[in-house]
Structure formats: C-alpha cells, structure tokens
C-alpha cells in the first residue's frame, strides 16, 4: 500500500445522516483521493436516504434549473449520437437517479427500438410510474454488491455518470459491468473534476 496524507475532512453537510467526521486522503503515489475509513456497506442506505436529491424531486437540494437542464441535454445529445453511429439497441444507466435522462432519451429516440434500463439504490413510486410510462426497466439495487443473474441480457451501452467516486469497490463493479456488456459495446464513465474551481474553493471542509 502506497503512503498517503490527509487532504481534507468534514461531516455530512447536506443531510446530517451521521455525526461522523469523514477524512479524505491523497495517495502519495498516484494522487487518488479516497475516504478513509470507508463507510461499511450496511450504512449506505442511511447515508443516501429517500430524500436524497438525485432520486427525490421534492428534496430542497434537488438539482434543477438552467445548469441541470443544459447538462442533461448535453448528455442526451452525446448518447444519441452514439446510438446512431454504433447502432446501439440497449442502454443501461448505472445510478440513474430520477430517470430524467432516460426519459429524455426515450423522447428523442424517434421510435427506435432501444431498450432502456436503470439501476439505483431506491426509487419513489412517482419515479417507478414515470419509468413504466416510458417503457424504462428499473432495477432497485446497490451496484456494489448486486450480482447480475446469468440470464441477464447483454447491453450495448453502459452509462456510469458521477458514480465511480461513491463505490466501495469500483474495480469489481467495472469487472461485473464488463461481463454484461456486448463485446463491441461502449461504456461511458464520467467523474468529478478535482481541478475545478468549486473543488479548489470548498474541498477543505465542504
């Protein structure tokens, strides 16, 4: 194990789900930032309650407004270009949250027979109903410890957006996702930019 140094520390400012002070360390070899110690798997649902902003539009922290809409449109436009270029017929969104991205994709697919699936820790009944109305299949599970059944149909495209940094074992998750990806399939992984201005301004505590 490479040596590491304390980079930042803070509590759960958003939801106060715990009084614990969390410490972020930086690997002295590669510069990777990680929480140490990692919260145990049993605490995950407590740390991400049903009021969590990515899955609950009623949350006061729910992402909405111009920036949210622009980001969603950019993502959808990029994925649609891939659908047309590579003949993608199935899309799996890992950590799909409020399913708005998948709903927007469905509306822009112009009748193309593309299978849409989403996975997240939990879904409200409103989100489940919305997904059903747009022919989107939802799987309520923690991707960290979920095992796809042998009969799970392989997919052409897997979206992992703003999720890798939350995983307990990202290497194992990527391995299991590769098992359900078609040999010529595509996987798009997006993570936060630790070189961004907001990170520079707020990383010490927030």
């Amino acid at each position: 194990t490479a040596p590491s140094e304390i980079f930042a520390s803070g509590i759960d400012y958003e939801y106060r789900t715990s009084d614990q002070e969390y410490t972020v360390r930086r690997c002295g070899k590669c510069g990777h930032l990680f929480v140490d110690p990692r919260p145990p798997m049993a605490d995950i649902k407590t740390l991400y309650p049903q009021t969590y902003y990515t899955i609950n539009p009623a949350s006061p922290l729910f992402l909405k407004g111009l920036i949210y809409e622009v980001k969603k449109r950019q993502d959808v436009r990029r994925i649609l270009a891939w659908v047309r270029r590579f003949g993608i017929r199935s899309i799996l969104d890992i950590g799909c949250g409020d399913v708005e991205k998948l709903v927007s994709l469905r509306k822009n697919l112009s009748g193309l027979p593309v299978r849409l699936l989403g996975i997240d820790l939990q879904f409200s009944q409103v989100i489940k109903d919305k997904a059903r109305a747009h022919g989107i299949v939802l799987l309520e599970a923690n991707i960290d410890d979920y095992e796809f059944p042998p009969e799970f149909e392989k997919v052409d495209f897997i979206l992992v957006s703003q999720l890798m940094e939350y995983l307990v074992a990202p290497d194992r998750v990527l391995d299991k996702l590769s098992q359900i990806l078609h040999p010529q399939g595509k996987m798009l992984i997006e993570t936060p930019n630790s070189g961004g201005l907001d990170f520079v301004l707020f990383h010490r505590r927030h």
Side-chain angles (χ1 to χ4, degrees), residues 39-170:
M41 191 75 75
D43 290 356
I44 297 299
K45 280 211 169 183
T46 301
L47 294 170
Y48 300 102
Q50 290 190 341
T51 53
Y52 198 67
Y53 66 92
T54 63
I55 58 173
N56 190 343
S59 168
L61 297 174
F62 182 68
L63 297 174
K64 55 187 173 183
L66 180 61
I67 294 177
Y68 174 71
E69 289 300 323
V70 169
K71 176 69 169 65
K72 184 176 70 176
R73 283 199 298 269
Q74 286 177 339
D75 288 348
V76 168
R77 190 160 51 241
R78 175 169 50 176
I79 296 169
L80 285 171
W82 281 35
V83 168
R84 298 185 179 104
R85 180 179 177 186
F86 298 109
I88 289 170
R89 289 295 176 263
S90 54
I91 298 172
L92 172 61
D93 187 358
I94 309 295
C96 62
D98 61 2
V99 306
E100 282 299 326
K101 192 176 297 180
L102 290 172
V103 169
S104 185
L105 277 169
R106 175 64 76 206
K107 291 177 178 177
N108 285 276
L109 283 168
S110 304
L112 290 175
V114 179
R115 187 166 55 106
L116 299 180
L117 308 96
I119 296 179
D120 216 318
L121 289 173
Q122 51 199 336
F123 299 105
S124 68
Q125 191 58 50
V126 171
I127 291 175
K128 290 177 182 178
D129 292 342
K130 182 188 299 183
R132 189 178 302 110
H134 290 87
I136 298 166
V137 176
L138 296 182
L139 177 60
E140 201 168 69
N142 184 345
I143 192 62
D144 251 314
D145 59 10
Y146 179 74
E147 297 298 331
F148 291 95
E151 66 274 14
F152 191 90
E153 189 176 343
K154 290 184 182 293
V155 294
D156 296 328
F157 183 89
I158 297 178
L159 175 64
V160 188
S161 178
Q162 306 291 325
L163 179 77
M164 294 298 291
E165 66 275 13
Y166 290 90
L167 300 177
V168 172

Side-chain angles (χ1 to χ4, degrees), residues 3-20:
S4 63
E5 62 180 2
I6 293 177
F7 182 75
S9 61
I11 62 172
D12 177 6
Y13 289 99
E14 290 183 320
Y15 292 97
R16 302 282 178 171
T17 54
S18 169
D19 294 327
Q20 181 177 340

